[in-house]
Amino acid sequence: MGDNKKYISSDELKKHNKSDDLWISIQGKVYNVTDWAKEHPGGDIPLMNLAGNDVTDAFIAFHPRSAWQHLDRFFNGYYLEDFKVSEVSKDYRRLVSEFSKAGMFEKKGHGVIYSLCLVALLLFTCVYGVLCCNGFWVHMLSGGLLGFLWMQVAYLGHDSGHYQIMTTRGFNKVAQILTGNCLTGISIAWWKWTHNAHHIACNSLDYDPDLQHLPFLAVSSKLFHSLTSQFYGRKLIFDPLSRFLVSYQHISYYPVMCVARVNLYLQTLLLLVSKRKVPDRAFNILGILVFWSWFPLLVSCLPNWNERVLFVLTSFCVCSVQHIQFTLNHFAANVYVGAPKGNDWFEKQTSGTIDISCSSWMDWFFGGLQFQLEHHLFPRLPRCHLRNIAPVVRELCKKHNLPYRSLSFFEANVWTLRTLRAAALEARDFSNPVPKNLLWEAVNTHG
């Protein structure tokens, strides 16, 4: 090579992809992060998923400029001899640099203040409606307001997990526990664990937990082969029960979304009692206990069990709009099987995401996440900038012949239902393992 540097090939780098031998490359320099993986603030899953790869684009996407100064302590002396940067990566890094120089990652606007005020107003109105009013419809309206509050709180928790919405890291962590654990009953630790994996392995059927919903939902017939979830470390069994439920998923989709929060409560519980290393486990548990103190107490203040059940269902149904939105962003997009790669970051994000088009006055309702591609490409960018950068991202996709899908809320629902129905019909015929009787034939003919 004509210098004193030590070089290895990309193929050699790929061999170091295990938890006890974990190397990555950033801009052609190789780093040994084996011991650091467990201490990584974003968890070990992102590092494990990209182990043995050049991860420059992913590193740039998730880390501020200050993070670069910490890399040298992991440098193992090697460089990639075949390091190359694609044209799309060059353009992506140029955009990140331009946004950084313009101070966009630090300019958060006043959205957090507005959101906190809205959450406080919704909480006060909900509690007032339950405690101080006697009408049935007022109580149901209060339940709807609670569901809407959960939606807004989720956006705050999401933003605080991607960038610092408060003045200090300590206040940011307090905001996460208060908004996430205390107000919604969903652990911010659980969210970070799954959400970071989702971003890194966007729409990988075996690496992205946001696509692993058997036995209720399957977005692709590839899940019918009982893939192994690399995230949960277990097989996603496609058994007769899964086959039956998936066969009707385009019909059950909205009802399932209405009770999706129950699964989130269960996932939170399973993580917090697991043996996994959970950051701030005690604070997370304390926050969950706060939620399961005030929420049942509030429900118990309603006059009878009918109203209590309907109140909870109403809050769940209203909040289901958000669960639906999250699935619209990905269910109908392209999927793949296998580990993510570090050298196609931009391409994988465009392939696996769908934007929801809406008027600017509706941005608060969708929490900025209607610009799903923009958020996936620039996860640290405050939501107030996402609409402004959308045209730039669209042009970059056009330049490199990559998909940029922006659908209306109605169109996105149609696309998602079409995807679910296609998989449902395939599930009914998959290997024909179950003998079909006349009732099965009659029902499925008109499914």
Side-chain angles (χ1 to χ4, degrees):
M1 288 294 181
D3 55 36
N4 295 322
K5 293 180 179 179
K6 296 186 296 182
Y7 290 91
I8 62 171
S9 67
S10 294
D11 289 336
E12 177 65 27
L13 176 64
K14 290 177 182 177
K15 297 177 183 178
H16 300 274
N17 62 351
K18 300 177 180 62
S19 59
D20 59 349
D21 181 24
L22 204 169
W23 292 11
I24 58 173
S25 165
I26 299 175
Q27 288 193 336
K29 293 181 68 174
V30 180
Y31 301 92
N32 185 342
V33 292
T34 306
D35 297 329
W36 168 244
K38 294 296 182 182
E39 306 299 324
H40 183 229
D44 61 334
I45 294 293
L47 289 173
M48 280 300 304
N49 286 355
L50 291 174
N53 283 275
D54 183 85
V55 301
T56 307
D57 287 343
F59 183 85
I60 288 173
F62 284 98
H63 298 84
R65 285 179 295 179
S66 58
W68 290 88
Q69 63 188 4
H70 300 292
L71 287 177
D72 282 346
R73 59 186 171 127
F74 306 117
F75 180 50
N76 63 4
Y78 288 100
Y79 295 82
L80 279 185
E81 63 183 6
D82 50 355
F83 174 67
K84 295 179 181 179
V85 183
S86 68
E87 292 303 314
V88 65
S89 284
K90 289 178 182 178
D91 284 343
Y92 171 65
R93 296 173 193 182
R94 176 181 53 79
L95 278 184
V96 174
S97 178
E98 290 178 1
F99 295 163
S100 181
K101 290 178 181 177
M104 293 174 66
F105 292 106
E106 287 73 39
K107 296 175 182 176
K108 304 175 179 66
H110 301 292
V112 172
I113 297 175
Y114 297 149
S115 295
L116 288 173
C117 290
L118 177 59
V119 166
L121 177 62
L122 291 170
L123 182 60
F124 172 81
T125 306
C126 172
V127 173
Y128 181 85
V130 170
L131 300 182
C132 303
C133 301
N134 297 320
F136 170 82
W137 291 111
V138 174
H139 292 163
M140 295 305 103
L141 176 62
S142 298
L145 291 177
L146 180 60
F148 190 58
L149 177 150
W150 285 337
M151 289 175 60
Q152 294 301 312
V153 166
Y155 295 140
L156 280 172
H158 175 272
D159 290 352
S160 68
H162 277 294
Y163 56 88
Q164 195 169 294
I165 65 172
M166 309 302 284
T167 54
T168 67
R169 291 178 62 88
F171 284 140
N172 199 61
K173 185 176 293 186
V174 170
Q176 290 175 342
I177 298 295
L178 288 177
T179 57
N181 299 50
C182 296
L183 285 182
T184 71
I186 300 170
S187 169
I188 191 67
W190 172 84
W191 176 84
K192 286 182 177 180
W193 179 48
T194 59
H195 197 68
N196 286 340
H198 161 67
H199 267 271
I200 292 295
C202 180
N203 272 35
S204 168
L205 293 174
D206 48 342
Y207 280 79
D208 184 354
D210 283 10
L211 292 187
Q212 298 172 359
H213 300 298
L214 285 176
F216 298 101
L217 299 170
V219 299
S220 170
S221 60
K222 294 176 181 178
L223 287 165
F224 302 164
H225 300 279
S226 297
L227 296 176
T228 297
S229 168
Q230 301 300 324
F231 180 81
Y232 292 111
R234 58 178 172 79
K235 271 200 169 186
L236 303 171
I237 303 296
F238 188 72
D239 53 16
L241 175 62
S242 298
R243 182 187 178 208
F244 175 78
L245 293 175
V246 169
S247 294
Y248 298 98
Q249 63 181 359
H250 54 302
I251 300 172
S252 63
Y253 169 63
Y254 292 114
V256 167
M257 290 298 102
C258 286
V259 294
R261 294 193 71 79
V262 176
N263 178 55
L264 302 188
Y265 296 146
L266 177 61
Q267 293 299 324
T268 285
L269 175 64
L270 291 175
L271 176 64
L272 293 183
V273 300
S274 72
K275 296 181 180 179
R276 282 190 59 86
K277 180 179 179 180
V278 179
D280 303 308
R281 186 192 297 265
F283 287 113
N284 274 269
I285 293 176
L286 179 61
I288 297 300
L289 291 176
V290 169
F291 173 81
W292 287 110
S293 297
W294 73 261
F295 180 53
L297 182 61
L298 179 66
V299 173
S300 69
C301 292
L302 292 164
N304 55 65
W305 277 106
N306 285 338
E307 288 199 17
R308 291 166 189 160
V309 172
L310 290 174
F311 176 89
V312 173
L313 286 177
T314 300
S315 64
F316 281 13
C317 287
V318 170
C319 195
S320 71
V321 175
Q322 186 177 71
H323 300 306
I324 291 170
Q325 177 198 350
F326 293 159
T327 61
L328 299 184
N329 288 139
H330 297 285
F331 272 21
N334 300 5
V335 298
Y336 66 100
V337 175
K341 299 177 181 178
N343 59 359
D344 61 356
W345 172 259
F346 196 100
E347 294 91 331
K348 276 295 191 290
Q349 307 310 316
T350 60
S351 175
T353 56
I354 294 175
D355 282 6
I356 307 297
S357 61
C358 68
S359 301
S360 58
W361 66 271
M362 284 291 288
D363 287 354
W364 63 276
F365 182 82
F366 291 106
L369 296 183
Q370 72 275 26
F371 296 107
Q372 189 68 192
L373 175 56
E374 289 76 9
H375 168 63
H376 265 255
L377 291 174
F378 310 99
R380 293 188 301 108
L381 196 66
R383 70 168 90 162
C384 60
H385 301 303
L386 296 178
R387 179 173 288 276
N388 295 329
I389 71 166
V392 179
V393 173
R394 188 184 301 112
E395 286 302 311
L396 191 55
C397 289
K398 183 179 179 180
K399 174 182 176 181
H400 294 283
N401 197 28
L402 295 170
Y404 183 95
R405 291 160 293 202
S406 183
L407 309 175
S408 70
F409 189 75
F410 176 78
E411 290 172 330
N413 274 270
V414 171
W415 277 41
T416 298
L417 289 174
R418 187 185 300 148
T419 299
L420 293 175
R421 186 176 187 277
L425 295 179
E426 290 186 71
R428 295 173 185 181
D429 293 327
F430 180 70
S431 299
N432 253 347
V434 181
K436 295 181 180 179
N437 56 35
L438 292 177
L439 178 59
W440 176 274
E441 291 284 2
V443 171
N444 287 303
T445 298
H446 302 287

